[in-house]
Amino acid sequence: MPLVNIRLTRREKPTTREQKAALIAGVTQLMQDVLDKRRDSVVVIIDEVDPDNWGEGGDSVTVLRERRARQGQQQ
Amino acid sequence: MPLVNIRLTRREKPTTREQKAALIAGVTQLMQDVLDKRRDSVVVIIDEVDPDNWGEGGDSVTVLRERRARQGQQQ
Amino acid sequence: MPLVNIRLTRREKPTTREQKAALIAGVTQLMQDVLDKRRDSVVVIIDEVDPDNWGEGGDSVTVLRERRARQGQQQ
Amino acid sequence: MPLVNIRLTRREKPTTREQKAALIAGVTQLMQDVLDKRRDSVVVIIDEVDPDNWGEGGDSVTVLRERRARQGQQQ
Amino acid sequence: MPLVNIRLTRREKPTTREQKAALIAGVTQLMQDVLDKRRDSVVVIIDEVDPDNWGEGGDSVTVLRERRARQGQQQ
Amino acid sequence: MPLVNIRLTRREKPTTREQKAALIAGVTQLMQDVLDKRRDSVVVIIDEVDPDNWGEGGDSVTVLRERRARQGQQQ
């Protein structure tokens, strides 16, 4: 039974139910294709994390997004 | 120090404080009985996950519950 | 930065390097396709767990596999 | 790429944005100092858990805090 | 589908297959008793961690065990 | 009780016992400094992951390291 945990930062535009369904379906298909696992044995859990609670390179994602927005970089 | 993490999908009828206390007490007792661990060394963490965020067999638990409800199966 | 953790039980025939590479590539592609994530932002971690250490329905996978083998079911 | 996950119980006085930033910065610095890791390779994720959902020694943190408060111990 | 992850430090006398089976059976029974979960829906994963890799109060479990052994305290 | 899980890829030159001790001590100190946590309440767990089992940007760390070595970049 493969167990797949996906951790994402929450965005202003939340991850939609359809996107979550696509992630669940895609991961399940991948386990079947690569490892020949039975579909009903695949469990996927998606965690959404507040951007204040996720850090990269010493800064929170909140700060990184603000910096990128200021720099006009495509978020 | 055994560390036990319990992950559950959120239900319409939320898991009650009493149920959580029973899970914490039960797991702690189990660690003591099976592994002879000191009670005060056992840590239990319960995560509750949105049914849209939990997938089994390629579908989210939200979809699975709706399907089961339609099929009149005892949830 | 999506973080994807895949947990698998170890099999007699170990998961090959190529299969792991295919899982990493497949998950990364899925994050790009579904969530428009930059490829270089996707982290995948694969954990392989001993079948004695993974339980389903009250039995370890070791026991489940032995039972299935006896019952001649395709493992 | 070191991945550091910090799990904390939620307090009445929530963990502030500044404290979270200090945790992210501190962990990143530690990875650089001890393991010579590039700062931009360090990912930190902070999970905040409801005190009903965290157990120690067989009781939830909610119960433990109430007990300590009664006993006048510095919470 | 409750997912229960048990993390333990490795001991000189390893956790036996029977102890692991008892943990898996006990947790599964607990989910059934407290949350009325179907047995076949309960997944248990046991991780065993090297004592050098587990720290409490600023010291590794290796150091703590050595200290306790010296102090003659029942480990 | 803060719980801190550090995940690292295994290197040819393994992370030493001293480095692990420094990570455990450093994280414990950080929890005390930033969150005023009691030292004896801080748990740190270090997981070391095989480079075949860790992917970034669609490739395993094994492949990334080989590529960097070829490119002569300081690993």
Side-chain angles (χ1 to χ4, degrees):
Chain A
M1 161 176 296
L3 166 59
V4 181
N5 179 210
I6 301 172
R7 307 208 85 187
L8 302 169
T9 44
R10 264 197 208 89
R11 310 185 64 81
E12 265 154 66
K13 227 185 76 185
T15 306
T16 66
R17 181 176 274 190
E18 292 67 28
Q19 287 175 313
K20 291 173 186 178
L23 291 175
I24 290 169
V27 162
T28 304
Q29 190 62 51
L30 186 65
M31 296 299 140
Q32 193 177 14
D33 296 345
V34 176
L35 298 175
D36 193 26
K37 293 289 185 185
R38 294 191 334 270
R39 295 180 64 82
D40 62 4
S41 74
V42 180
V43 173
V44 182
I45 300 178
I46 302 168
D47 294 323
E48 297 171 270
V49 179
D50 192 280
D52 280 349
N53 288 36
W54 191 302
E56 294 175 25
D59 289 311
S60 74
V61 167
T62 305
V63 167
L64 293 172
R65 285 179 183 163
E66 287 162 0
R67 191 177 298 154
R68 281 188 204 130
R70 282 198 306 273
Q71 295 165 348
Q73 274 178 310
Q74 186 264 330
Q75 181 49 41
Chain B
M1 164 176 293
L3 167 59
V4 181
N5 179 210
I6 301 172
R7 308 208 82 187
L8 302 168
T9 45
R10 263 196 211 91
R11 309 185 65 80
E12 265 154 69
K13 226 185 79 186
T15 306
T16 65
R17 180 176 275 188
E18 291 68 28
Q19 286 175 314
K20 292 174 187 178
L23 291 175
I24 291 169
V27 162
T28 304
Q29 189 62 51
L30 186 64
M31 296 298 140
Q32 193 177 15
D33 296 346
V34 175
L35 298 175
D36 193 26
K37 294 290 185 183
R38 295 191 335 269
R39 295 180 64 82
D40 62 5
S41 73
V42 180
V43 173
V44 182
I45 300 177
I46 302 168
D47 294 324
E48 297 171 271
V49 178
D50 193 280
D52 281 349
N53 288 37
W54 190 302
E56 292 175 27
D59 289 310
S60 74
V61 168
T62 304
V63 167
L64 293 172
R65 284 180 183 163
E66 286 163 0
R67 190 178 299 156
R68 280 191 204 127
R70 283 196 307 273
Q71 297 164 349
Q73 273 179 309
Q74 183 262 332
Q75 181 49 42
Chain C
M1 165 177 291
L3 165 61
V4 181
N5 180 209
I6 301 172
R7 307 209 82 187
L8 302 168
T9 44
R10 261 195 213 91
R11 309 186 64 82
E12 266 154 68
K13 225 182 76 182
T15 307
T16 65
R17 180 176 274 189
E18 292 67 27
Q19 287 175 313
K20 293 175 187 177
L23 291 175
I24 290 169
V27 162
T28 304
Q29 189 62 51
L30 186 64
M31 297 299 140
Q32 194 176 16
D33 297 345
V34 176
L35 299 175
D36 193 26
K37 293 289 184 184
R38 295 192 335 268
R39 293 179 64 82
D40 63 3
S41 74
V42 180
V43 173
V44 181
I45 300 177
I46 301 167
D47 295 323
E48 296 170 273
V49 178
D50 194 281
D52 280 351
N53 288 37
W54 190 301
E56 293 174 27
D59 288 312
S60 73
V61 167
T62 305
V63 168
L64 293 173
R65 284 180 183 163
E66 286 163 2
R67 191 177 297 154
R68 280 188 206 130
R70 281 197 307 274
Q71 294 164 350
Q73 279 178 304
Q74 184 262 332
Q75 183 50 45
Chain D
M1 163 177 293
L3 165 59
V4 181
N5 179 208
I6 301 171
R7 307 209 83 187
L8 301 169
T9 44
R10 260 195 215 91
R11 310 185 64 82
E12 266 153 68
K13 226 184 79 186
T15 307
T16 66
R17 179 177 277 188
E18 291 67 28
Q19 286 174 314
K20 292 175 186 177
L23 290 175
I24 290 169
V27 162
T28 304
Q29 189 63 50
L30 186 64
M31 297 299 141
Q32 193 176 15
D33 296 345
V34 176
L35 298 175
D36 193 26
K37 293 291 184 182
R38 295 191 334 269
R39 294 179 63 82
D40 63 4
S41 74
V42 180
V43 173
V44 182
I45 300 177
I46 301 167
D47 294 323
E48 296 172 272
V49 178
D50 193 281
D52 280 350
N53 288 37
W54 190 301
E56 293 176 23
D59 289 309
S60 73
V61 167
T62 305
V63 167
L64 293 172
R65 284 180 184 163
E66 286 161 1
R67 190 177 300 155
R68 280 191 205 127
R70 282 196 307 272
Q71 295 164 351
Q73 275 178 306
Q74 184 261 331
Q75 184 50 42
Chain E
M1 164 175 294
L3 166 59
V4 181
N5 180 209
I6 302 171
R7 307 208 84 186
L8 302 168
T9 45
R10 262 195 212 92
R11 309 186 64 80
E12 266 158 67
K13 226 183 77 184
T15 306
T16 65
R17 179 177 275 189
E18 292 66 29
Q19 287 174 313
K20 293 174 186 177
L23 291 176
I24 291 169
V27 162
T28 305
Q29 189 62 50
L30 186 64
M31 297 299 141
Q32 193 176 16
D33 296 346
V34 175
L35 298 174
D36 193 25
K37 293 290 183 183
R38 296 191 334 268
R39 294 179 64 81
D40 62 4
S41 75
V42 180
V43 173
V44 181
I45 299 177
I46 302 167
D47 293 324
E48 296 170 273
V49 179
D50 193 280
D52 279 351
N53 289 36
W54 190 302
E56 294 175 23
D59 288 311
S60 73
V61 167
T62 304
V63 167
L64 292 172
R65 284 180 182 162
E66 285 163 2
R67 191 177 299 155
R68 279 187 206 131
R70 281 196 308 271
Q71 294 165 350
Q73 280 178 305
Q74 185 262 332
Q75 182 49 49
Chain F
M1 167 178 291
L3 166 59
V4 182
N5 180 209
I6 301 171
R7 307 208 83 186
L8 302 168
T9 44
R10 262 195 212 91
R11 310 186 64 82
E12 264 155 67
K13 225 184 79 184
T15 307
T16 64
R17 179 176 275 188
E18 291 67 29
Q19 287 175 312
K20 293 175 186 177
L23 292 175
I24 290 168
V27 163
T28 305
Q29 189 61 50
L30 185 65
M31 296 298 141
Q32 193 176 15
D33 296 346
V34 175
L35 300 175
D36 193 26
K37 294 290 184 183
R38 296 192 333 271
R39 294 179 65 80
D40 62 5
S41 74
V42 181
V43 173
V44 182
I45 300 177
I46 301 167
D47 294 324
E48 296 171 273
V49 178
D50 194 281
D52 280 351
N53 289 36
W54 191 302
E56 292 176 26
D59 288 311
S60 73
V61 167
T62 304
V63 166
L64 293 172
R65 284 181 183 162
E66 287 162 1
R67 191 177 299 154
R68 280 189 205 129
R70 282 197 307 272
Q71 295 163 350
Q73 277 178 308
Q74 185 262 333
Q75 181 50 45

